[in-house]
């Protein structure tokens, strides 16, 4: 039995303006990007680095799966893949909402830290409850691990999108890929919409790149996690030597889901 309930028509109407939109996708050489996460009232997403922390209540969990149902892929950083061992599938029950081929899990793991074979996402895929994950690596890992090119479901990203492992682009940094290039690579693989669920490193980076993010959906749980947690706080920004806001949302809407608040918007 699924742990995910259906949303009301009012909930669906609230989210609709922020869902992937075919017109927006056709104008860009990248997927529609929805950045989404759950945080506490002190802006934290987990109790400490590497600790899975449930913030969403049942209603916002259902909302997250409803959003997954409207995207072709879901991406997390390797820190989240290791800490949470997430399912990364779509368990929203209204089958007509789900993309016909299901949701593609993508893990950003430039230096190959994730145990793909031992992951829950891979196990679910083998049971037919999700698609097999794709793992994004920096092209340069091939220099250190030439044998990985033989393994399936690995995408190599260089400085300008997808890289053929034999093409020789080794110029991308091993630990810091450009988001434009990652998104272009996924688009080249046919992904037209992607939900990016964290963790902190990924969210903090993308909040500073409004040109690459189409919608932001934040669940705010009515709790404070306390000092020492993992915060969403993008790097400090200055203009002409003066501190300015790091990021800000426009076109915002709020709605209550159970005990949580959900804030949607677009980055300015
Ligand atoms: N509450 C939530 O919504 C939520 C969501 C996701 C994760 N989390 C929590 O966040 C924590 C994990 O956060 P984190 O910051 O440690 O990990 P993360 O998931 O952001 O992964 C970070 C890693 O991803 C890779 N990466 C990120 N950006 C990259 C780039 N531009 N190029 C190449 N590689 C890149 C790097 O290897 C980096 O070390 C965990 O505790 C997890 O439970 C909470
Ligand atoms: N929306 C949300 N609320 C939370 O309280 C929480 N901890 C996460 N964390 C996001 C991260 O990607 C998790 O790993 C997935 O939420 C795991 O969910 P699944 O196992 O895939 O259903 N996300």
């Amino acid at each position: 039995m699924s742990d995910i309930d259906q949303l009301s028509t009012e909930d669906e109407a609230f989210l609709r303006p922020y869902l992937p939109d075919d017109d927006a996708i056709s104008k860009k050489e990248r997927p529609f990007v929805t950045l989404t996460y759950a945080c506490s009232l002190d802006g934290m997403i987990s109790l400490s680095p590497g600790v899975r922390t449930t913030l969403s209540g049942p209603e916002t969990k259902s909302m997250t799966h409803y959003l997954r149902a409207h995207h072709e892929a879901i991406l997390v950083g390797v820190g989240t893949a290791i800490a949470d061992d997430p399912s990364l599938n779509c368990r929203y029950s209204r089958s007509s909402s789900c993309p016909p081929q299901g949701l593609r899990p993508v893990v950003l793991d430039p230096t190959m830290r994730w145990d793909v074979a031992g992951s829950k996402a891979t196990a679910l895929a083998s049971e037919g409850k999700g698609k097999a994950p794709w793992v994004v690596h920096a092209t340069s890992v091939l220099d250190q691990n030439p044998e990985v090119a033989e393994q399936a479901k690995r995408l190599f990203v260089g400085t300008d999108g997808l890289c053929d492992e034999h093409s020789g682009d080794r110029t991308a940094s091993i630990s810091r890929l450009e988001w434009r290039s990652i998104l272009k690579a996924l688009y080249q693989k046919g992904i037209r919409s992607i939900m990016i669920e964290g963790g902190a490193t990924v969210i903090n980076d993308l909040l500073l790149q409004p040109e690459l993010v189409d919608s932001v959906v934040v669940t705010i749980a009515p709790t404070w996690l306390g000092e020492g947690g993992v915060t969403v706080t993008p790097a400090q920004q200055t203009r002409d030597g003066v501190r300015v806001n790091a990021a800000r949302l426009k076109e915002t809407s709020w709605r209550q889901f159970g005990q949580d608040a959900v804030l949607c918007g677009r980055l300015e």
Side-chain angles (χ1 to χ4, degrees):
M1 207 169 67
S2 175
D3 51 341
I4 305 300
D5 289 328
Q6 294 199 355
L7 265 54
S8 67
T9 47
E10 292 80 10
D11 292 339
E12 291 188 1
F14 162 74
L15 294 167
R16 193 166 301 125
Y18 303 98
L19 293 177
D21 150 6
D22 287 342
D23 286 347
I25 297 165
S26 61
K27 290 189 190 111
K28 305 166 185 168
E29 273 204 6
R30 63 160 178 84
F32 184 101
V33 172
T34 303
L35 182 62
T36 182
Y37 61 95
C39 67
S40 61
L41 291 172
D42 41 2
M44 294 183 182
I45 62 167
S46 72
L47 282 163
S48 62
V51 171
R52 182 174 184 145
T53 306
T54 299
L55 284 159
S56 299
E59 295 83 1
T60 43
K61 187 170 183 184
S62 296
M63 184 216 52
T64 297
H65 279 263
Y66 176 83
L67 291 177
R68 290 182 183 184
H70 286 83
H71 291 77
E72 294 181 6
I74 177 171
L75 180 147
V76 294
V78 63
T80 299
I82 292 171
D84 293 8
D85 193 17
S87 309
L88 301 178
N89 62 1
C90 174
R91 303 197 291 281
Y92 195 78
S93 60
R94 195 178 298 175
S95 56
S96 61
S97 296
C98 285
Q101 311 82 11
L103 182 77
R104 174 70 65 188
V106 180
V107 173
L108 179 53
D109 183 16
T111 54
M112 305 187 139
R113 289 163 55 205
W114 189 44
D115 174 12
V116 191
S119 69
K120 192 188 286 178
T122 297
L124 287 167
S126 68
E127 292 165 24
K129 295 179 181 162
K131 288 179 119 176
W134 288 350
V135 192
V136 174
H137 298 306
T139 328
S140 37
V141 296
L142 289 169
D143 293 335
Q144 293 169 20
N145 303 279
E147 72 283 3
V148 300
E150 304 308 316
Q151 297 174 27
K153 301 177 196 89
R154 296 183 185 275
L155 308 189
F156 294 95
V157 173
T159 47
D160 187 30
L162 206 57
C163 249
D164 175 348
E165 58 267 28
H166 306 297
S167 73
D169 177 350
R170 301 282 197 274
T171 53
S173 145
I174 197 159
S175 56
R176 177 73 181 80
L177 295 166
E178 291 300 325
W179 276 100
R180 186 176 298 284
S181 187
I182 297 166
L183 294 173
K184 183 173 177 183
L186 291 168
Y187 191 80
Q188 289 169 323
K189 291 294 288 180
I191 300 295
R192 293 291 174 267
S193 57
I194 188 160
M195 192 160 151
I196 301 188
E197 287 201 17
T201 311
V202 165
I203 298 165
N204 287 330
D205 258 18
L206 282 170
L207 285 175
L208 296 176
Q209 301 189 61
E211 68 285 4
L212 298 181
V213 177
D214 298 287
S215 290
V216 179
V217 180
V218 184
T219 291
I220 300 155
T223 186
W224 289 264
L225 293 185
E227 286 177 8
V230 177
T231 49
V232 170
T233 180
Q236 198 182 101
Q237 300 296 302
T238 56
R239 196 173 303 135
D240 302 325
V242 177
R243 272 201 68 176
V244 292
N245 287 13
R248 189 181 166 87
L249 291 177
K250 60 184 180 184
E251 299 166 34
T252 55
S253 298
W254 292 88
R255 185 170 171 82
Q256 185 161 351
F257 283 72
Q259 298 293 301
D260 302 338
V262 174
L263 168 63
C264 298
R266 299 179 220 288
L267 288 171
E268 276 185 354

